[in-house]
Amino acid sequence: SPTRSSILTGRNPARTGLTAPECHLPRVLLQPVVAATADPGRKDTQVSSVSRMDTALPTLGKMIKAGGYSTAHFGKWHLGPEPYSPLQHGFDVDIPHWPGPGPAGSYVAPWQFQDFKENYPKEHIEDRMAEEAIQWMKSVPDDQPFYMNYWQFSIHAPFDARQELIEKYRAKIDPDNPQHSPVYAAMVESMDDAVGSLLDAVDAAGIADHTAIVFLSDNGGNMYDRPDGSQPTSNFPLRGGKATMFEGGVRVPCVVVWPGVTRAGTRSDEIIQSTDFYPTLLSLLGIPQPENYAIDGIDITPALKGGSLDRDAIFTYFPHSPPIVPDWLPSSMSVLCGDWKLLRLFHQGENGAHDWLLYNLKDDIGETNNLAASYPEKVQTMDAMIETYIQSAGVVVPRINPDFDPAQYHPERIGIPQRPPQGGNADERANRNPDRPDIDGWQAGATCSISRKDGTLVIQSSGGDPYVELKKMDPVSGGPFTVCLRIKAEASDGGVIYYNQPASEGCTAWFAFTGDGEWHDVEAVIDESKINGLRIDPSTTSGRIEIDWVRLKNQSGTCVNEWMFN
């Protein structure tokens, strides 16, 4: 969501306040808010992200439409439902008109979109999106220019794909290659097919010589979800991945084709940012920029032509701490200037002072050697750049936590996932937390507590990594299984079922539900013949979550286990 908003507005998420992918949640927040206090184990207070892209902003859709172009959006939006959808941001068409963080239910039909149904059984959403985009492109009159966003749902959770493609890549697994997930590979092929279909349609229409194409990703490879029981991507030699501030999280592929501007087969080492596409597209299309509107990006046309760029620095801001992510950091802002990169960790030093990480990317692209202590003047100079930007852009930043208790602080915060290991058999796991109370065999883990009230299991989450797991589960045969549950929450970003031991090895099944305070019956399919453990991760948001019942059904639909919490 932050990247998508930066492309459409030309503004850094630090300036807009849209810093986290929370635009599917029910709360409408148009300005970021910093909390007054935090958990006593935190040194800083949290910043709540904007949850909708403000319709007052002069987005690319609005600007290019005003320039005489037909406009359409296909695929993922995740910047807010009505009245914050693409239709309110300058796009004439929006398909499938869905505000969620991923496809509704699955990539492979049957889907759960509200007003968008599959044309045939097991239709893949990217095949359909490409088809819809091509049909729209053909419908635009020949003398009418068009601007299309095709923002694929791929590659993203929930991880599933066409079965024949999964089997194709299962036969190609190389265990010595760190990227060996057949599900992930199958998802990439469907993405590639959709892109190829679109490019073929441009060629067939005879418009390739005057059609600009921009292809890029919104973040580095995913290092924490584990389809097929393994890490799906490798960003080596970069450190970290998606949802980190290290280079593995922020360096992404980008390909630009612009007839008359770019030259085929060339490559540029100039550093650009997603905010740059706003001024660049408007400039090359001859559309004036809006007046009295601050833009963080620059026109990168010189780089597209093979030249160099004149820019002082690039700023990246992520005031969140997702502890389930490898190489996670506390709330931080970075500045990239030449070969040097400085990360400010807000209030992580002594007595409320900031802490810093300094890297020379020319010598240390893997960000393994923190040079902050060796170059104090460099730290001071670059941190002053961060502070100047914060002041000029009006960035809402974390505060010192007045309730901080050093006794509850864990200094191993950097690079250490908070999620506990799930190794061991069922008996060992049953004894892992002998003093922690359970409810009908379920225990709370990580960032939540549980209680029983009015026949429901109540989960009180502080955000981050709340989950409940069975203290002990005897092996059950007869799968594939379906986990059914009735759940409600005031906010949710979707849930996941972990099964078998060890759970952290990637045995996962995803389910989607809306955090609107209403009860929802949801299901997650476990494609295994035998299981020996269950864990429910209902969300990563804070607040109250309730589960009315959980049922485990076997292949024939017979309920083999049930938890009613009466």
Side-chain angles (χ1 to χ4, degrees):
S1 301
T3 308
R4 296 164 196 277
S5 69
S6 68
I7 292 170
L8 289 174
T9 67
R11 289 184 166 182
N12 195 300
R15 187 184 296 271
T16 62
L18 207 164
T19 53
E22 298 181 355
C23 295
H24 58 291
L25 300 179
R27 181 174 69 160
V28 177
L29 194 63
L30 295 179
Q31 295 292 330
V33 176
V34 59
T37 63
D39 183 278
R42 293 188 58 94
K43 288 189 172 185
D44 65 326
T45 64
Q46 290 286 87
V47 175
S48 294
S49 170
V50 165
S51 66
R52 303 290 188 271
M53 190 168 70
D54 196 334
T55 53
L57 294 168
T59 57
L60 271 180
K62 294 178 182 178
M63 298 299 295
I64 296 179
K65 180 178 180 179
Y69 287 67
S70 293
T71 57
H73 176 87
F74 298 92
K76 182 173 178 177
W77 176 247
H78 206 196
L79 292 170
E82 295 273 5
Y84 303 94
S85 80
L87 301 180
Q88 287 81 46
H89 281 287
F91 293 96
D92 302 318
V93 172
D94 175 32
I95 298 175
H97 197 57
W98 176 249
S106 173
Y107 285 86
V108 181
W111 304 316
Q112 298 175 17
F113 296 106
Q114 295 175 347
D115 301 307
F116 187 74
K117 304 301 180 184
E118 61 271 15
N119 285 330
Y120 53 86
K122 298 188 181 301
E123 183 177 22
H124 195 283
I125 188 61
E126 300 303 357
D127 293 342
R128 179 65 175 278
M129 286 297 95
E131 179 182 318
E132 295 283 350
I134 291 168
Q135 288 180 354
W136 176 79
M137 187 174 66
K138 290 180 177 179
S139 73
V140 178
D142 292 342
D143 60 348
Q144 175 71 33
F146 66 83
Y147 165 50
M148 176 197 297
N149 270 357
Y150 179 17
W151 289 357
Q152 297 209 1
F153 290 107
S154 302
I155 308 296
H156 196 278
F159 294 96
D160 65 352
R162 289 161 47 194
Q163 192 61 40
E164 66 271 20
L165 290 180
I166 295 175
E167 297 308 318
K168 169 185 173 180
Y169 287 104
R170 196 183 306 278
K172 297 176 179 288
I173 288 177
D174 177 4
D176 294 328
N177 188 320
Q179 302 183 127
H180 57 251
S181 166
V183 170
Y184 204 83
M187 296 178 77
V188 171
E189 178 163 331
S190 290
M191 180 194 77
D192 287 348
D193 277 349
V195 172
S197 297
L198 210 60
L199 298 182
D200 287 347
V202 169
D203 288 339
I207 58 174
D209 289 341
H210 50 276
T211 299
I213 300 166
V214 178
F215 174 91
L216 79 158
S217 178
D218 57 347
N219 49 251
N222 186 325
M223 302 286 286
Y224 57 91
D225 284 314
R226 303 178 72 86
D228 302 306
S230 64
Q231 178 179 297
T233 66
S234 171
N235 300 309
F236 182 83
L238 307 179
R239 180 178 178 181
K242 177 179 180 178
T244 77
M245 290 285 283
F246 294 110
E247 292 300 283
V250 300
R251 290 205 178 207
V252 299
C254 178
V255 180
V256 178
V257 177
W258 201 300
V261 178
T262 60
R263 186 164 54 87
T266 59
R267 177 177 179 138
S268 172
D269 289 328
E270 293 297 301
I271 303 296
I272 66 172
Q273 197 172 39
S274 51
T275 55
D276 296 337
F277 288 106
Y278 186 98
T280 303
L281 294 180
L282 294 183
S283 174
L284 287 173
L285 296 177
I287 299 174
Q289 294 185 11
E291 297 181 357
N292 301 317
Y293 178 71
I295 296 173
D296 292 304
I298 67 169
D299 185 347
I300 61 170
T301 302
L304 298 180
K305 292 181 176 180
S308 59
L309 296 176
D310 181 17
R311 83 182 319 151
D312 294 329
I314 281 179
F315 298 94
T316 304
Y317 182 49
F318 192 51
H320 311 286
S321 306
I324 64 172
V325 177
D327 285 310
W328 69 281
L329 288 172
S331 299
S332 55
M333 177 178 278
S334 72
V335 56
L336 177 63
C337 185
D339 296 331
W340 292 90
K341 176 181 176 181
L342 179 75
L343 291 121
R344 175 199 280 190
L345 311 182
F346 287 95
H347 308 300
Q348 298 303 309
E350 296 298 324
N351 301 317
H354 303 312
D355 199 4
W356 296 275
L357 303 174
L358 178 68
Y359 301 104
N360 186 304
L361 298 182
K362 182 179 180 180
D363 300 331
D364 179 25
I365 191 64
E367 295 171 286
T368 60
N369 186 18
N370 179 15
L371 300 173
S374 302
Y375 293 88
E377 292 183 357
K378 176 70 72 174
V379 170
Q380 184 178 11
T381 299
M382 296 184 72
D383 190 64
M385 297 172 71
I386 289 177
E387 187 60 34
T388 298
Y389 179 76
I390 288 173
Q391 297 301 322
S392 64
V395 182
V396 176
V397 296
R399 298 173 181 169
I400 297 173
N401 180 16
D403 294 340
F404 173 64
D405 179 3
Q408 300 187 48
Y409 174 64
H410 300 286
E412 67 276 11
R413 65 197 185 276
I414 298 176
I416 306 297
Q418 184 172 312
R419 178 166 300 194
Q422 297 294 310
N425 59 36
D427 291 332
E428 291 171 339
R429 189 161 166 243
N431 295 323
R432 182 169 294 137
N433 297 304
D435 298 326
R436 180 176 294 177
D438 68 77
I439 295 177
D440 292 354
W442 294 84
Q443 282 190 335
T447 59
C448 71
S449 60
I450 59 173
S451 60
R452 191 198 314 261
K453 184 175 182 181
D454 299 330
T456 66
L457 178 68
V458 179
I459 304 169
Q460 195 63 43
S461 166
S462 59
D465 188 26
Y467 65 85
V468 292
E469 62 179 341
L470 284 174
K471 184 175 181 179
K472 183 176 181 178
M473 180 179 177
D474 294 327
V476 181
S477 301
F481 300 93
T482 303
V483 179
C484 311
L485 62 151
R486 176 169 290 171
I487 186 170
K488 73 175 178 179
E490 294 300 325
S492 175
D493 47 7
V496 62
I497 304 291
Y498 285 81
Y499 56 91
N500 285 350
Q501 304 305 318
S504 62
E505 290 304 309
C507 300
T508 57
W510 294 83
F511 62 89
F513 75 101
T514 302
D516 56 6
E518 302 293 332
W519 285 108
H520 295 273
D521 292 351
V522 301
E523 295 183 350
V525 177
I526 298 175
D527 190 17
E528 296 283 348
S529 61
K530 183 178 180 179
I531 61 174
N532 66 351
L534 277 180
R535 167 175 138 180
I536 301 173
D537 289 39
S539 176
T540 60
T541 58
S542 60
R544 181 187 174 100
I545 304 163
E546 294 183 57
I547 297 178
D548 190 14
W549 45 256
V550 179
R551 297 188 180 105
L552 179 66
K553 297 182 179 180
N554 63 15
Q555 184 177 21
S556 64
T558 302
C559 184
V560 295
N561 217 330
E562 182 178 57
W563 298 269
M564 298 299 293
F565 309 116
N566 290 326

